[in-house]
Amino acid sequence: MRAPHTPQIRLYQNWLRETRGQSFDSYDALWRWSITDLDAFWQSVWDYFDLQSPTRHSAVLANHQMPGATWFPGAQFNYVHQVFRHVDKAHAAGFPALMSHDEKSLADGRQPDALSWPELRRQVASLALHLQAHGVAPGDRVAAYLPNIPEAAVAFLAVASIGGVWSICAPDMGTNAVLDRFRQIEPKVLIACDGVTYGGRVLDRSAVVADMHAALPSLQHVIIHSHLSATVSIAESARFERATARNDAEVAAFEPLWLPFDHPLWIVYSSGTTGLPKPIVHGHGGTVIVALALKTLHNDIGCSYQPNSWGEHYHWYSSTGWVMWNAQISGLLNGTTCCIYDGNPGGSKDKPDWTTLWRFAAKMGVTFFGAGAAFFANCMKAGIDLADCGDLTKVRALGTTGSPLSAEAQNWGTDQFQRLRQTASHEAARLGDQFPDGPPPGKLAPSGGSEVREATSVGESIWWCNISGGTDFAGAFIGGNRELPQVPGEMQCRLLGCAVEAWNEAGQPVVNEVGELVCTQPIPSMPLYFWGDEGNKRYLSSYFDMYPNVWRHGDWLKVTPSGSCIIYGRSDATINRHGLRMGTSELYSAVEALPEVLDAMVVDLEYLGRDSYMPLFVVLRDGLVLDAAIRDRLNTAIKTALSPRFVPNDIFQVPEIPRTLSGKKQELPIKKLLLGQPLEKVVNKDAMANPDCLDWYVAFAQSRTSAT
């Protein structure tokens, strides 16, 4: 079956015209309607996706303010209801819910594991009943320490189905980083694995799990997934495999609970420059309605069993420590087969292999392939040839996020896929000459199965869906539109429902100038609150300190006259490594615990068109010199407490760390200085406790400029 694949955003506009009598002569007109008539737009999304509630909502937006907007009051909802709606139809069409590989199964050449829609529902129901039997009630937190495997998706859906509040950390995170998150939310249950394999290395995490159990007094139950068959000695813990094995009448009759539209769904973490990671709470309804609008209308990811998008196979590489894991799983909301990979996308440290994820995509028959922008840059630098990676002709779209994608990396990917399509076209022509009545069975059979959508034609450029958003609201502000022109290094548009502007220092919107990314209208998936945040103090200071009642996101943005957008990097001092955000305070906790270190400062110099570069500056005790042994101890401390992803590019010994009169580290001014801005424009020396120390950083900035 060949899918016509009309752009999803065109189908939505056709529906608006047919059911609402509304038509728009440009995307800009459609966007402006969506941000000025919020009630009409978000009601249209509800109706277009036929969202279900046993009770009617009394309004779309009852409390039009930010923060504090109230969406769809009176409606009842559950994320898992929306997923389960697709079980019968998707299964009848022959499509699985999840397809998965890990490093070993991919290397061994095995077929991917496939989890059918009915089996997904059965496992979710079994685990949900197990959790209820152990006292989990709506509002109770369930923490998970799991990699990107089908079991993580099952666990999330089970927790959400009974009104529990889900929160997950990746097993590559150290004990301290995980506890900094989970201690804040006081989970009742922990679901954890005994270890992972990453980059060819087996990482036993049984000791970390035991440490978490001992350090979280709120825990009443622990479930262990035996991923490595390691021994985890926790009394009366349950086995994940047994908790999901039940198959009886109660399991068959299980239905997710109907919950208030804004019932907490999950807690995700976004780190700032001070204090503990921010535990951000999103609601069931807001998360679902925004995910459907983003994933379908803008990312153009269709339902696998719908004729227009028949055979959609959706992949977005992520660890469970990144909100893109949530985005990957949200493909289930629209009946899409999700293809997940557990492992290092670049091979092992000893033998880097940036073809790994592409070979995975070829075996899976992936149609939409997403990853962090850094992944594509690494593939380009490694000089790989996608022609060596298997049959990638089913890939019709590439998605990127996490950091700005350079025009160079985008052009590399476009050229690679153009060559793949030319080769496929020549092969099709050769077979046409050889078999004028059509190829015999088996010829031109796609690697991912026979029922996948037709590849884009040879003359059509691969479509790039470059998006920018955040963990903070589990969505995107800026992204793609299959009907708009593509310019390498740019994102096509501001998304529907997202009143995004670039503001200058005077708080005025600007076009064709770099400014602060702000959002002037509420979005349904914005945080309900931060967990344990008395009086919303942290919430308000995180997004509304600069402009009251206007969301300041912390990115540099330029909106071009045509409406396309360019993100230039973070405007605050938060670290963004390979798409994963981490607060500098967490790194300082690890580094400054070493007896050799008196003070430290780190800056992330990610900026469009430049390689990500993160230097660490340290002040050592008198008499000590930064040598290889101290460097190793610093890197090891960061790896252990946080993750190998946050190891700095370079470490420098400095005489002092610049601080304000109140003692705050001058991270953002130094970041701006090292990005090329003049000293007098980035710092007020009169407000500094030690202005003389700036001479070292000015010299360092000049040396970097001359070196590049």
Side-chain angles (χ1 to χ4, degrees):
M1 181 177 191
R2 293 183 173 182
H5 196 53
T6 302
Q8 298 288 338
I9 199 163
R10 175 52 48 195
L11 296 177
Y12 167 69
Q13 290 183 77
N14 292 345
W15 177 87
L16 278 178
R17 185 183 65 253
E18 294 164 4
T19 64
R20 302 291 203 270
Q22 291 179 289
S23 59
F24 302 90
D25 58 7
S26 67
Y27 176 76
D28 184 69
L30 174 65
W31 174 74
R32 292 189 184 281
W33 166 72
S34 76
I35 64 167
T36 53
D37 195 343
L38 296 180
D39 285 46
F41 169 68
W42 288 110
Q43 181 65 56
S44 79
V45 176
W46 178 290
D47 294 340
Y48 183 69
F49 290 102
D50 190 27
L51 299 184
Q52 301 293 304
S53 169
T55 54
R56 289 187 60 83
H57 48 273
S58 58
V60 174
L61 181 54
N63 192 15
H64 190 156
Q65 63 181 45
M66 195 167 46
T70 303
W71 294 93
F72 296 96
Q76 296 181 69
F77 213 82
N78 193 302
Y79 186 109
V80 186
H81 269 298
Q82 179 63 25
V83 172
F84 281 4
R85 292 177 66 183
H86 303 287
V87 170
D88 294 336
K89 290 182 179 179
H91 185 62
F95 297 115
L98 297 171
M99 298 173 66
S100 62
H101 261 307
D102 59 22
E103 289 183 354
K104 192 171 190 315
S105 66
L106 183 66
D108 291 346
R110 300 202 300 263
Q111 289 297 310
D113 289 335
L115 185 66
S116 73
W117 283 89
E119 180 63 7
L120 173 69
R121 179 172 59 185
R122 188 201 62 75
Q123 290 189 25
V124 167
S126 176
L127 183 56
L129 292 170
H130 176 93
L131 292 169
Q132 285 181 324
H134 285 82
V136 176
D140 288 338
R141 278 77 62 211
V142 176
Y145 188 63
L146 295 167
N148 185 19
I149 53 178
E151 289 81 358
V154 168
F156 158 59
L157 294 173
V159 171
S161 71
I162 59 173
V165 185
W166 169 261
S167 191
I168 190 168
C169 284
D172 67 350
M173 297 178 69
T175 305
N176 292 339
V178 175
L179 289 176
D180 280 348
R181 288 156 173 77
F182 288 167
R183 276 193 181 119
Q184 295 185 73
I185 67 170
E186 300 179 307
K188 180 178 278 189
V189 174
L190 173 66
I191 305 175
C193 66
D194 55 3
V196 293
T197 300
Y198 190 84
R201 297 176 57 212
V202 175
L203 306 174
D204 188 335
R205 286 292 184 255
S206 55
V208 177
V209 176
D211 288 345
M212 283 193 285
H213 179 249
L216 295 170
S218 60
L219 289 179
Q220 297 180 17
H221 186 52
V222 177
I223 302 173
I224 302 297
H225 170 52
S226 184
H227 200 46
L228 297 181
S229 299
T231 301
V232 181
S233 300
I234 296 176
E236 299 182 3
S237 61
R239 292 292 165 183
F240 187 91
E241 294 72 18
R242 293 192 64 182
T244 56
R246 188 172 165 185
N247 190 11
D248 54 25
E250 193 175 0
V251 167
F254 176 81
E255 290 290 339
L257 298 178
W258 288 110
L259 304 162
F261 185 86
D262 60 355
H263 184 83
L265 171 64
W266 58 43
I267 300 172
V268 293
Y269 303 91
S270 185
S271 300
T273 56
T274 59
L276 293 170
K278 298 173 291 190
I280 302 170
V281 184
H282 297 129
H284 276 252
T287 298
V288 169
I289 198 168
V290 168
L292 288 170
L294 167 62
K295 199 79 66 243
T296 307
L297 306 185
H298 284 286
N299 292 5
D300 199 53
I301 298 167
C303 172
S304 296
Y305 60 84
Q306 288 294 330
N308 184 65
S309 47
W310 187 263
E312 187 85 282
H313 281 185
Y314 165 48
H315 167 71
W316 200 302
Y317 176 78
S318 180
S319 77
T320 52
W322 188 19
V323 76
M324 293 312 297
W325 177 83
N326 307 65
Q328 167 80 91
I329 299 304
S330 72
L332 298 173
L333 293 169
N334 200 33
T336 308
T337 297
C338 297
C339 303
I340 59 177
Y341 180 71
D342 175 33
N344 189 335
S348 67
K349 184 177 181 180
D350 298 333
K351 297 178 67 176
D353 181 5
W354 289 99
T355 70
T356 300
L357 214 52
W358 296 109
R359 290 185 286 106
F360 160 84
K363 288 181 179 292
M364 292 285 195
V366 165
T367 56
F368 185 106
F369 179 97
F375 169 80
F376 293 97
N378 284 323
C379 291
M380 176 185 67
K381 292 172 187 175
I384 68 170
D385 187 346
L386 297 190
D388 299 331
C389 300
D391 180 6
L392 290 167
T393 57
K394 309 304 172 295
V395 177
R396 59 170 184 88
L398 300 172
T400 72
T401 191
S403 56
L405 179 72
S406 69
E408 183 183 17
Q410 185 165 337
N411 285 330
W412 170 84
T414 299
D415 292 344
Q416 287 278 328
F417 274 91
Q418 188 66 17
R419 288 199 296 272
L420 289 179
R421 287 170 177 171
Q422 288 171 348
T423 301
S425 178
H426 293 155
E427 176 65 9
R430 184 187 67 79
L431 286 172
D433 293 338
Q434 185 177 355
F435 303 103
D437 295 327
K443 293 293 184 181
L444 292 180
S447 61
S450 61
E451 294 183 317
V452 295
R453 71 159 44 120
E454 185 180 16
T456 306
S457 66
V458 65
E460 184 178 344
S461 178
I462 189 82
W463 179 57
W464 286 85
C465 180
N466 304 330
I467 68 173
S468 182
T471 300
D472 313 77
F473 66 107
F477 284 132
I478 301 163
N481 180 331
R482 258 190 66 205
E483 297 188 323
L484 293 179
Q486 288 194 118
V487 177
E490 296 183 6
M491 284 167 275
Q492 290 172 295
C493 61
R494 291 171 282 186
L495 301 195
L496 297 176
C498 300
V500 169
E501 295 176 333
W503 281 16
N504 62 18
E505 293 180 355
Q508 300 168 330
V510 293
V511 174
N512 220 27
E513 295 179 25
V514 177
E516 286 277 357
L517 190 163
V518 302
C519 185
T520 62
Q521 296 281 9
I523 297 172
S525 64
M526 283 178 171
L528 302 175
Y529 45 83
F530 290 179
W531 194 269
D533 181 22
E534 186 177 350
N536 274 347
K537 291 178 182 177
R538 294 186 73 191
Y539 185 14
L540 292 170
S541 65
S542 295
Y543 311 112
F544 302 100
D545 60 342
M546 183 174 291
Y547 310 112
N549 305 315
V550 171
W551 178 289
R552 171 186 168 269
H553 196 56
D555 281 337
W556 295 121
L557 166 69
K558 180 165 75 174
V559 180
T560 72
S562 68
S564 64
C565 296
I566 304 171
I567 294 287
Y568 287 86
R570 297 295 299 171
S571 63
D572 61 19
T574 303
I575 301 169
N576 185 350
R577 295 289 272 179
H578 315 298
L580 297 179
R581 292 180 63 191
M582 180 72 72
T584 53
S585 60
E586 295 187 76
L587 190 142
Y588 298 148
S589 295
V591 167
E592 293 174 5
L594 298 177
E596 300 93 336
V597 178
L598 295 177
D599 204 355
M601 182 177 69
V602 67
V603 292
D604 180 7
L605 301 183
E606 173 208 34
Y607 198 77
L608 181 66
R610 309 183 187 192
D611 291 341
S612 175
Y613 178 72
M614 189 177 82
L616 171 66
F617 306 103
V618 293
V619 179
L620 301 179
R621 292 189 179 278
D622 288 344
L624 292 181
V625 175
L626 182 64
D627 57 15
I630 294 178
R631 288 179 193 274
D632 287 344
R633 284 197 286 277
L634 287 163
N635 287 333
T636 299
I638 294 167
K639 288 180 185 177
T640 303
L642 304 177
S643 165
R645 299 168 189 264
F646 295 99
V647 171
N649 293 91
D650 283 314
I651 305 175
F652 299 96
Q653 184 174 358
V654 297
E656 288 183 90
I657 299 300
R659 291 183 177 270
T660 65
L661 292 172
S662 61
K664 292 183 179 179
K665 297 179 184 184
Q666 294 276 60
E667 298 162 316
L668 189 53
I670 296 302
K671 174 178 178 174
K672 291 179 178 179
L673 176 69
L674 297 183
L675 286 173
Q677 297 188 39
L679 179 67
E680 61 272 14
K681 288 195 173 183
V682 301
V683 68
N684 177 7
K685 289 187 176 182
D686 293 337
M688 288 189 61
N690 52 351
D692 292 341
C693 79
L694 291 174
D695 292 343
W696 188 95
Y697 296 91
V698 171
F700 178 72
Q702 291 172 344
S703 69
R704 273 185 52 80
T705 302
S706 60
T708 56

